[in-house]
Amino acid sequence: MLTAFAAGVGTTALLAGTATAVATRDIGIATSLLVVTRVIGVALGVQIGGAILDAGAHTATGLPSESAFVTGFVTAGLVAALSLLVVRITKKGTRA
């Protein structure tokens, strides 16, 4: 429940920040691109996470092993770090 709350607050802040960073005529385009990109990212993340857990499943039980979870968390951490690096490199100044 706490994760869902944090995701909702984060999404609202991200949308508000995006809406204030672009010209008024581009608000609809910018916010919809943000939402579509986010939905695609979530869908891909779920599929990749499921594939990692399935690849690390025990043959006898079908349950994912601890190493599969570690691999998933490391992969998620690397993707997050890479995305922060990309944002840091490509970020342009915002209007006040």
Side-chain angles (χ1 to χ4, degrees):
M1 186 168 100
L2 187 58
T3 303
F5 177 74
V9 170
T11 300
T12 303
L14 191 58
L15 283 170
T18 301
T20 59
V22 298
T24 305
R25 69 178 188 277
D26 295 331
I27 290 175
I29 293 169
T31 55
S32 22
L33 180 63
L34 175 70
V35 170
V36 167
T37 305
R38 201 176 138 124
V39 167
I40 290 171
V42 167
L44 286 174
V46 166
Q47 293 299 315
I48 292 169
I52 289 171
L53 291 178
D54 187 51
H58 291 288
T59 54
T61 63
L63 298 173
S65 64
E66 183 178 345
S67 65
F69 283 101
V70 170
T71 303
F73 280 116
V74 168
T75 303
L78 290 174
V79 169
L82 181 62
S83 65
L84 287 173
L85 181 65
V86 168
V87 168
R88 186 75 163 144
I89 290 171
T90 61
K91 185 176 180 183
K92 295 183 173 44
T94 58
R95 294 183 300 163

